[in-house]
Amino acid sequence: MNFELTEEQKMIQQAARDYANRELILDVLERDANSIYPAKHVKALADLGFMGMMVDPKYNGSGMDTISYVLAMEELSKVDSSVSVIVSVNNSLVCYGLEEFGTEEQKEKYLKPLARGEIIGAFLLSEPEAGSDATSQHTLAEDKGDYYLVNGTKNWITNGNSASVYILMAQTHPELKSKGINALIVDRHSPGITLGPHEDKMGMRSSDTHSVMFTDVKVPKENRIGPDGFGFKLAMKTLEGGRLGIASQALGIASGAYERALKYSKERKAFGTEIFHHQSVAFKLAEMYTRIECGRLLCFHAAWLKDNHQPYGVASAMAKYHCAETAMWVTTEAVQIHGGYGYVKEYHVERLMREAKLTQIYEGTSEIQKLIISRDIFSH
Amino acid sequence: MSVLIYASHDGGKFPKSVLELASYAFALANKTGGQVTALVTGNPVGPELDKLGKSGVSKILLTPEPMGPAFDNRAYAALLASAAQASGASCVLFSDGAISRAVAPRVAVRLQAGYAAGVMGLPESIEPFRIRRSVFTGKAYGFVEITSPVKVMILARNSWQIAETPVACTIENFIPGITAPEAGFEVVKVEEQTGAIRLQDAEVVVSGGRGLKSGDNWKILEDLAGSLGAAMACSRPVADEGWRPHQEHVGQTGKVIAPNLYFACGISGAIQHIGGISSSRVIVAINKDPEAPIFQFARFGIVGDLFQVLPALTQAIKKLKSE
Amino acid sequence: MKILVCMSVVPDTTTQIRFKPDMNSLETSGIQWIINPWDELALTRALEIREQPDSGVTQVSVIHIGLKDADPVIQKALAVGADSAYRVNVAAAGAMEVACQLSEVVKKEHFDLVIAGHDSADYNGSAVGEMLAELLDWISFSSICSLAAAKDSITIEREMDTRTETIIAHPPCVITIQKGIAKDPRIPSLRGIMGARSKPLLQLEPIPCAGSAAFVKFENPAQRSKCRMIDPAKPEELVELLRNEANV
């Protein structure tokens, strides 16, 4: 056991922290208020190597371990989760599957520009009638010999408009249920793709979320990832890593709110002393800190398992469940510590609270995480 | 110990910092049984030179200005070192400023002297020679022990009061036996700073922070500065946003100043900012947030809206001045 | 042209400075160490210049005089783009000792331009650059707020006490820079961070250098008296107080 970060990991953490505190913070309120996509930040983070963090350098990635990814996601999310979710989707949901299961040609053509961050990707799984229950995919990918013909609708697609490449889950053999699903690489600008309106969200308002409609979209056969019917397995493997990205995001939201509350409690005075000295506040901060540390260790553990090629699906489910719940609780209490100031945008904690809510919902709700965990503990 | 001061002047007039330096040097020489010699370059007129005598200088070494078309710190360093040896000084003192900072370290090397910049107050002890100076940009003090026979020091700004200590003062022409160094550079353009009061020398500084909301709102600050004859300064975010030029940035990574009176308007008082102003004698803070940390460092504070308080304050000052 | 950037390692500027109980040295526990902000700006500008096609700059190296615990901070300089780093393995007591160690490396490695920050955020000596120039018998320029390089000359802007000069100088020389020379320090890219490990960080043994000024003890600043609050509707009250009580 070793709890010490390496010098490189500390430097990566600091680089992400510097970027967040120097750049993201400047326009985060404006982007949140007006739902402005953070194009320049995505480009800058790509130049710094954050868009393909764990991809092998031979495919233009940064070749980092998963611990570094957790650290970077936490630091970015302390300030702006609209940006960190774009990072998470590109790294965990798009690059991962292509690198792990794609052919050399697919990696050459798609993974390289994605890992460099020249283009970004989106992951299309959820449907109007298939959210948590991902096995019942209604989007069809009919086998037409040398291409698939795709029809259907996908919902809640992060990067729906800004992505150039989609990783799409669609049903080819409905009778085989989940074993009939395929994962296809789809060019976002293929004929027959239309987007629903930009979703007007409660939080993470600066990322672009859309529904995506497919009408007779032709996808070449060579764009299928893995063998026929591999899609559901790919989705499940991918989501194990995705959960860890969102767990680290929730961790960042929680620690960002905690740090702000701590600072505020040392400056703000009430009844003749800094409010930090009031036990009701001090104990709350102690509890926040403890819960956040628990979350951080869960994230590190899951990342360590992944880096050591051990099963980490349950570990990442626990990390995501705990961190999302912690983020919601900590942000709510951070607003409370700030009092009236917490309820206005200038102090950031109300935004973090809105962002926290989504971490309990997307990439597997807290309930789904508990399902994964409970199934695992009953299986032994 | 005998003390040599470098009495720089601005177009023939000695600035306040040099008279402070002379008074300080006199106190130091007096404490240790020695005399003060001043090196003066160029040709200030008699009455100006008399001011040095009134502040305790016993001997003035007058020497031609080595400053030709360009300031060359090597020439000044050679001159100062030679004057120190000629006058038998065991302490060479400078007032703080860009020229001193460019020359004094070279003098220290030439004289194999121990060096300390930003010193405050007389030595705590002479044997061993221990002197106090600020460290960590005003966040603490340190005592430097200098063991060499000759010491080279720069006195911190605004750290010593001018005292009337008249002594008999003789003036000698001093011709150092030094040759001008080969240039190796040329000055292609010079912009003299005129009109505006220089930040580092200013007695009063009016400084604005993010609380002013925009660079367009600086008028109310300029009006206040105008009524006080003050120099303008700003906090780091203001310079970073490009609302004001970086030369006005005061703080740990900007300029470090020590005026008599510092107005912090709409500046919350981050520790880095405090580092740049903590040696100011009186700090006045004006901020809408009563909990802003700046109030912990200020002597006087006003909690209120800058856009109302500043114009009212400017009026009150103008009124008093006209009375 | 070969550029050497001198780099001191200082506590993060947000640090509350505390001393050990005997007040003889800094309490270093819990301190986050960073590249001295002015030195970081110097490095930033040096790297910007090297990237320009006609600058004639072939190498940008950094040097630190200090012990091994500074290596992680030096690594950051390599991560943002310095080609190599030197560390002279000695805990120097003062500016003179630092300048003396630097001069040895500058001579041995044939650097043409040495850049240093005009001050260091710890002991505020602001003397090393000029002492080094004197030891090397080089020309030197301080308070530099802009720097450009051509093949065998540099163009700089110097802020003197009452004027700003534009100077063309021919290296070898030492310049000490102030704010304005570069906008923001760089954030290292992940590739830069990983690549830093394979760049040379040479540990050199010190030459004998004697100094004669050293810190012997420290003191915390005295508590300031409490702030006196004035009614915003009565600015004339403040004016009176400033005149009578503060003598201004």
Side-chain angles (χ1 to χ4, degrees):
Chain A
M1 292 279 265
N2 181 1
F3 288 94
E4 194 71 49
L5 296 177
T6 66
E7 289 305 331
E8 278 90 2
Q9 286 164 344
K10 286 185 204 164
M11 233 189 278
I12 292 161
Q13 180 183 42
Q14 188 64 44
R17 184 179 296 159
D18 284 347
Y19 188 80
N21 290 335
R22 226 185 267 168
E23 305 294 337
L24 294 181
I25 194 77
L26 295 179
D27 58 353
V28 63
L29 292 178
E30 193 201 340
R31 283 186 287 104
D32 177 66
N34 302 312
S35 286
I36 301 167
Y37 180 75
K40 78 167 184 195
H41 295 303
V42 172
K43 164 134 197 355
L45 288 167
D47 291 344
L48 290 173
F50 285 102
M51 297 309 282
M53 279 189 78
M54 291 165 291
V55 175
D56 192 312
K58 77 177 175 195
Y59 300 117
N60 295 331
S62 301
M64 300 286 158
D65 62 1
T66 313
I67 299 278
S68 302
Y69 177 57
V70 168
L71 294 169
M73 279 299 295
E74 180 184 357
E75 292 304 325
L76 296 174
S77 307
K78 281 181 184 175
V79 176
D80 188 350
S81 286
S82 293
V83 169
S84 72
V85 70
I86 298 169
V87 172
S88 175
V89 166
N90 205 64
N91 275 284
S92 295
L93 302 187
V94 179
C95 288
Y96 166 78
L98 278 171
E99 183 172 25
E100 197 69 19
F101 306 111
T103 62
E104 274 310 310
E105 291 74 26
Q106 288 168 347
K107 289 181 197 179
E108 195 63 37
K109 188 168 174 192
Y110 297 105
L111 180 58
K112 278 188 167 180
L114 283 164
R116 267 199 304 268
E118 274 171 22
I119 57 170
I120 60 166
F123 183 75
L124 289 72
L125 176 65
S126 293
E127 297 191 351
E129 290 167 63
S132 291
D133 179 11
T135 57
S136 58
Q137 294 282 308
H138 290 285
T139 299
L140 290 179
E142 247 179 292
D143 190 338
K144 293 286 187 181
D146 54 356
Y147 66 91
Y148 289 101
L149 191 67
V150 178
N151 280 287
T153 299
K154 291 287 173 181
N155 259 28
W156 319 124
I157 305 307
T158 303
N159 302 344
N161 184 36
S162 47
S164 303
V165 174
Y166 290 159
I167 305 292
L168 170 73
M169 302 303 141
Q171 184 56 271
T172 302
H173 313 286
E175 69 286 0
L176 296 177
K177 301 210 169 128
S178 68
K179 293 196 172 77
I181 296 171
N182 274 315
L184 306 177
I185 306 167
V186 183
D187 184 332
R188 143 88 176 86
H189 296 289
S190 309
I193 294 178
T194 49
L195 294 187
H198 177 106
E199 301 288 355
D200 192 6
K201 303 191 297 287
M202 173 185 182
M204 311 230 187
R205 293 174 50 76
S206 155
S207 80
D208 73 313
T209 309
H210 292 262
S211 53
V212 182
M213 277 77 77
F214 295 84
T215 313
D216 290 338
V217 176
K218 289 181 183 174
V219 180
K221 264 278 172 64
E222 71 256 28
N223 279 19
R224 188 185 73 208
I225 307 174
D228 191 21
F230 184 70
F232 187 73
K233 196 163 178 212
L234 177 137
M236 292 303 109
K237 291 298 275 182
T238 298
L239 285 176
E240 289 182 355
R243 285 201 287 272
L244 184 50
I246 301 308
S248 337
Q249 177 181 63
L251 175 67
I253 294 171
S255 52
Y258 160 77
E259 285 170 12
R260 286 178 184 279
L262 179 64
K263 180 166 180 283
Y264 184 80
S265 71
K266 286 177 174 172
E267 288 165 3
R268 172 76 185 183
K269 287 184 185 159
F271 304 105
T273 177
E274 289 80 9
I275 60 171
F276 181 78
H277 296 296
H278 298 305
Q279 202 180 64
S280 62
V281 173
F283 277 21
K284 208 173 264 178
L285 288 162
E287 195 172 349
M288 286 178 176
Y289 184 60
T290 308
R291 289 201 202 181
I292 289 167
E293 274 302 306
C294 290
R296 189 171 287 124
L297 292 174
L298 285 171
C299 287
F300 283 163
H301 181 231
W304 183 87
L305 288 171
K306 179 165 177 279
D307 286 337
N308 286 279
H309 311 290
Q310 296 183 37
Y312 68 101
V314 178
S316 69
M318 288 195 286
K320 179 172 187 284
Y321 165 54
H322 177 84
C323 291
E325 297 302 312
T326 298
M328 198 65 242
W329 180 78
V330 167
T331 52
T332 309
E333 295 301 331
V335 170
Q336 190 68 20
I337 287 174
H338 278 76
Y341 292 104
Y343 203 65
V344 296
K345 301 200 183 260
E346 196 186 333
Y347 284 77
H348 296 281
V349 284
E350 67 81 31
R351 180 175 54 81
L352 292 170
M353 184 176 164
R354 287 186 280 114
E355 289 171 348
K357 188 63 211 170
L358 189 51
T359 65
Q360 293 177 308
I361 299 171
Y362 69 0
E363 298 198 27
T365 60
S366 287
E367 289 72 18
I368 287 289
Q369 307 308 331
K370 284 189 265 191
L371 189 70
I372 294 168
I373 300 160
S374 60
R375 276 183 185 161
D376 182 70
I377 50 186
F378 293 144
S379 74
H380 295 306
Chain B
M1 59 175 48
S2 24
V3 180
L4 174 71
I5 66 168
Y6 171 49
S8 61
H9 55 85
D10 207 350
K13 284 212 181 316
F14 294 114
K16 195 186 104 200
S17 59
V18 164
L19 300 177
E20 285 170 0
L21 181 70
S23 295
Y24 173 80
F26 178 77
L28 177 60
N30 216 17
K31 183 172 173 173
T32 54
Q35 287 193 328
V36 181
T37 305
L39 181 78
V40 179
T41 57
N43 226 347
V45 290
E48 268 307 297
L49 292 175
D50 290 346
K51 285 187 188 166
L52 294 180
K54 281 185 190 135
S55 300
V57 173
S58 315
K59 185 156 72 173
I60 292 172
L61 300 178
L62 259 185
T63 188
E65 188 76 65
M67 189 165 182
F71 166 75
D72 190 334
N73 55 352
R74 293 170 301 168
Y76 278 80
L79 176 60
L80 261 300
S82 152
Q85 280 158 346
S87 64
S90 49
C91 187
V92 185
L93 287 175
F94 293 79
S95 63
D96 207 351
I99 288 177
S100 298
R101 296 258 171 180
V103 173
R106 281 187 179 260
V107 175
V109 172
R110 282 178 176 254
L111 297 175
Q112 294 183 307
Y115 172 84
V119 303
M120 317 174 92
L122 292 172
E124 183 194 49
S125 75
I126 302 295
E127 204 55 58
F129 189 89
R130 271 190 188 180
I131 191 134
R132 186 165 174 266
R133 47 166 295 219
S134 110
V135 290
F136 294 98
T137 325
K139 288 189 221 167
Y141 300 104
F143 287 85
V144 180
E145 194 168 293
I146 302 181
T147 52
S148 53
V150 182
K151 287 103 183 144
V152 173
M153 305 193 292
I154 297 180
L155 181 67
R157 293 170 195 284
N158 273 335
S159 64
W160 195 262
Q161 297 280 340
I162 297 173
E164 286 272 320
T165 49
V167 295
C169 180
T170 59
I171 299 177
E172 277 178 24
N173 284 317
F174 176 66
I175 308 297
I178 52 172
T179 46
E182 234 175 274
F185 69 96
E186 52 183 318
V187 175
V188 291
K189 196 174 120 201
V190 176
E191 265 177 69
E192 291 288 343
Q193 282 167 2
T194 49
I197 298 142
R198 274 172 30 80
L199 190 49
Q200 285 101 320
D201 304 334
E203 287 285 294
V204 183
V205 172
V206 170
S207 186
R210 229 203 276 264
L212 273 110
K213 308 246 191 260
S214 154
D216 302 332
N217 294 334
W218 239 255
K219 177 94 173 60
I220 52 170
L221 219 61
E222 284 164 0
D223 289 346
L224 176 62
S227 73
L228 289 159
M232 305 282 297
C234 68
S235 67
R236 173 164 185 166
V238 168
D240 284 352
E241 291 280 342
W243 296 354
R244 301 294 297 179
H246 71 84
Q247 292 94 327
E248 287 187 9
H249 165 199
V250 162
Q252 189 158 8
T253 54
K255 291 206 161 74
V256 176
I257 57 170
N260 245 340
L261 175 57
Y262 182 80
F263 282 88
C265 308
I267 293 175
S268 63
I271 189 162
Q272 295 99 325
H273 186 77
I274 301 301
I277 62 159
S278 60
S279 303
S280 307
R281 209 162 69 79
V282 177
I283 295 172
V284 177
I286 305 169
N287 206 297
K288 69 168 183 189
D289 177 7
E291 306 298 338
I294 188 76
F295 289 115
Q296 292 163 25
F297 300 93
R299 174 96 166 272
F300 303 113
I302 296 182
V303 176
D305 180 359
L306 290 176
F307 298 95
Q308 287 163 10
V309 174
L310 293 185
L313 186 59
T314 306
Q315 282 310 313
I317 291 163
K318 281 187 177 158
K319 189 160 163 255
L320 184 85
K321 285 210 165 165
S322 66
E323 276 167 13
Chain C
M1 196 186 299
K2 284 172 69 177
I3 300 180
L4 183 65
V5 177
C6 307
M7 175 182 135
S8 61
V9 173
V10 301
D12 182 281
T13 52
T14 56
T15 308
Q16 294 280 358
I17 297 300
R18 292 175 298 132
F19 297 97
K20 297 229 168 81
D22 61 9
M23 295 304 282
N24 286 341
S25 60
L26 185 67
E27 174 59 65
T28 52
S29 66
I31 283 184
Q32 195 190 352
W33 298 93
I34 59 167
I35 304 175
N36 178 38
W38 287 284
D39 301 340
E40 197 174 16
L41 286 179
L43 174 61
T44 306
R45 186 60 194 150
L47 295 171
E48 285 169 4
I49 288 172
R50 191 193 52 188
E51 284 158 15
Q52 292 160 1
D54 308 325
S55 68
V57 174
T58 53
Q59 182 186 330
V60 174
S61 298
V62 296
I63 185 166
H64 174 67
I65 312 300
L67 302 179
K68 198 171 174 48
D69 45 7
D71 282 354
V73 186
I74 299 173
Q75 288 283 349
K76 191 189 166 193
L78 294 171
V80 294
D83 299 303
S84 62
Y86 302 88
R87 182 173 57 76
V88 181
N89 193 33
V90 61
M96 189 60 211
E97 291 92 320
V98 172
C100 169
Q101 299 295 347
L102 288 174
S103 70
E104 180 71 9
V105 179
V106 171
K107 275 187 277 192
K108 266 204 179 131
E109 303 288 325
H110 306 290
F111 283 96
D112 306 292
L113 176 61
V114 179
I115 315 180
H118 87 107
D119 198 5
S120 148
D122 47 8
Y123 300 107
N124 307 120
S126 70
V128 168
E130 295 297 349
M131 285 180 173
L132 172 64
E134 184 67 31
L135 288 171
L136 294 167
D137 197 18
W138 284 9
I139 50 173
S140 61
F141 305 93
S142 52
S143 308
I144 300 303
C145 59
S146 108
L147 166 67
K151 204 158 177 47
D152 49 9
S153 69
I154 57 168
T155 305
I156 49 183
E157 269 178 44
R158 171 164 76 175
E159 273 183 15
M160 293 314 283
D161 288 338
T162 57
R163 57 180 177 170
T164 305
E165 301 165 335
T166 306
I167 295 169
I168 295 176
H170 304 281
C173 68
V174 177
I175 65 173
T176 53
I177 60 92
Q178 55 174 327
K179 210 179 145 89
I181 190 101
K183 196 166 179 292
D184 275 323
R186 293 184 174 189
I187 295 173
S189 73
L190 302 190
R191 191 160 287 187
I193 291 170
M194 296 315 276
R197 219 183 323 184
S198 55
K199 289 179 176 176
L201 195 173
L202 299 168
Q203 179 178 316
L204 308 174
E205 287 313 309
I207 57 163
C209 283
S212 50
F215 283 101
V216 288
K217 67 174 175 174
F218 295 93
E219 201 176 82
N220 291 314
Q223 282 284 330
R224 284 186 176 250
S225 55
K226 222 168 139 53
C227 181
R228 177 159 169 188
M229 301 312 270
I230 292 145
D231 185 344
K234 293 181 185 152
E236 62 282 357
E237 200 176 305
L238 175 64
V239 178
E240 276 306 300
L241 282 167
L242 288 176
R243 193 165 71 151
N244 299 332
E245 291 196 19
N247 306 318
V248 290

